[in-house]
Amino acid sequence: MNARSEPAGTEPDSTVRPPLLREFLLVAGLFLVYKLGRRLADGHTSDAFRDAHRVWHLERTVHLPSETDVQSALLHGDALVHLANTYYATVHFPATVAFLVWLYLRRPAHYVRARRVLALVTSAALVLTFTFPLAPPRMLSGTGLLDTARIYGPSVYGPPARDHLSNQFAAMPSLHFGWALMVAVGLIAATRSRWRWLWLLHPLVTLAVIVGTANHYWLDSIVATALLVTALALIPAPHRTAGPRNAGTARLRLLPQDTALAGPAR
């Protein structure tokens, strides 16, 4: 899946590229604000477990597939579950950064939209962290789910009481899935390769990983998808410019009309 592979004749993005230092400071600042906000929203342990039981029972009421079935598939082999834990720990953030860097360098107009969409989705997620604290399914007793990262490794989280880098009671929504889906949508929109739809494998694999490792509920991904769809609807897509191939086609379509206006040949 190479985002650079495009049919000949596709015109490069001619949008003026935003200043690099400004963009770096803006993206880094947004990320730090989000991380700080998650930390400030920490400490609602009883509410987080109460909401977790509500989410679990709601999913069973509406007959969503059980997270335990996905985890059972991962537990068929130690190598598979270890790979899933590694994917969860190492792919999410670097993949999103690489996506933004590529868009910035090759598709500035798409970059601006993607950055705005990600900022809006992440801001909405921060609001949900304050209003709806949620313990992940790996912490919920009575579900049969295991904390695969703690048992098989690698793990990005320590015991919640001693983890000062993250808020583990912020499972809703899943930014792992929301960002992965934005990466796929953004690359599909910004490229022309016939293989570009394979980018959807990234959010699909991410969904299997976050559910199978018991870090998120199905509902976390559903809410993340709803936030992303809303953000995409609110922030318009960049206008597409016609490439040389399209311009040539347009000229060919005008030829019969031009001939008719010129009258019969003499």
Side-chain angles (χ1 to χ4, degrees):
M1 294 180 291
N2 189 347
R4 303 178 67 147
S5 58
E6 301 160 327
T10 299
E11 186 173 298
D13 192 336
S14 60
T15 303
V16 176
R17 189 175 293 112
L20 178 60
L21 179 59
R22 188 195 72 181
E23 289 303 307
F24 175 78
L25 293 176
L26 179 60
V27 173
L30 288 172
F31 178 74
L32 290 175
V33 167
Y34 175 73
K35 294 294 287 185
L36 178 60
R38 281 171 61 104
R39 289 299 306 148
L40 292 175
D42 201 359
H44 303 286
T45 305
S46 59
D47 292 339
F49 280 100
R50 180 201 63 206
D51 293 337
H53 285 288
R54 289 177 175 175
V55 167
W56 183 263
H57 290 304
L58 174 62
E59 289 188 343
R60 308 291 78 80
T61 300
V62 299
H63 303 292
L64 287 177
S66 176
E67 288 84 351
T68 55
D69 293 338
V70 182
Q71 186 171 95
S72 296
L74 288 182
L75 294 176
H76 280 306
D78 291 356
L80 183 60
V81 68
H82 183 80
L83 180 63
N85 292 331
T86 302
Y87 193 95
Y88 180 86
T90 62
V91 173
H92 164 61
F93 189 69
T96 308
V97 171
F99 161 70
L100 289 174
V101 169
W102 187 87
L103 286 183
Y104 178 83
L105 295 175
R106 299 297 301 274
R107 299 290 184 273
H110 288 274
Y111 162 78
V112 171
R113 188 196 190 203
R115 186 247 291 153
R116 290 172 178 170
V117 168
L118 286 172
L120 184 56
V121 169
T122 305
S123 299
L126 182 57
V127 172
L128 275 175
T129 299
F130 280 95
T131 59
F132 194 80
L134 183 65
R138 57 186 165 81
M139 293 184 181
L140 202 58
S141 60
T143 63
L145 290 166
L146 303 176
D147 186 345
T148 60
R150 181 179 60 82
I151 298 172
Y152 298 94
S155 177
V156 295
Y157 302 119
R162 298 201 301 268
D163 186 357
H164 302 296
L165 298 177
S166 60
N167 177 8
Q168 297 188 45
F169 300 119
M172 175 76 74
S174 170
L175 286 183
H176 264 75
F177 182 74
W179 286 12
L181 187 57
M182 181 59 214
V183 168
V185 170
L187 288 174
I188 290 170
T191 58
R192 288 291 166 272
S193 169
R194 61 182 175 180
W195 301 103
R196 69 189 185 277
W197 295 98
L198 291 177
W199 286 113
L200 289 172
L201 289 175
H202 177 42
L204 290 176
V205 171
T206 299
L207 180 60
V209 165
I210 62 176
V211 172
T213 58
N215 280 292
H216 285 283
Y217 307 89
W218 293 113
L219 195 59
D220 299 338
S221 300
I222 294 172
V223 172
T225 302
L227 292 177
L228 180 61
V229 169
T230 302
L232 289 170
L234 292 174
I235 300 174
H239 294 293
R240 197 178 308 287
T241 57
R245 177 178 298 179
N246 293 335
T249 302
R251 285 195 295 270
L252 288 174
R253 289 176 179 171
L254 289 174
L255 282 175
Q257 298 176 7
D258 295 339
T259 302
L261 290 173
R266 301 190 182 194

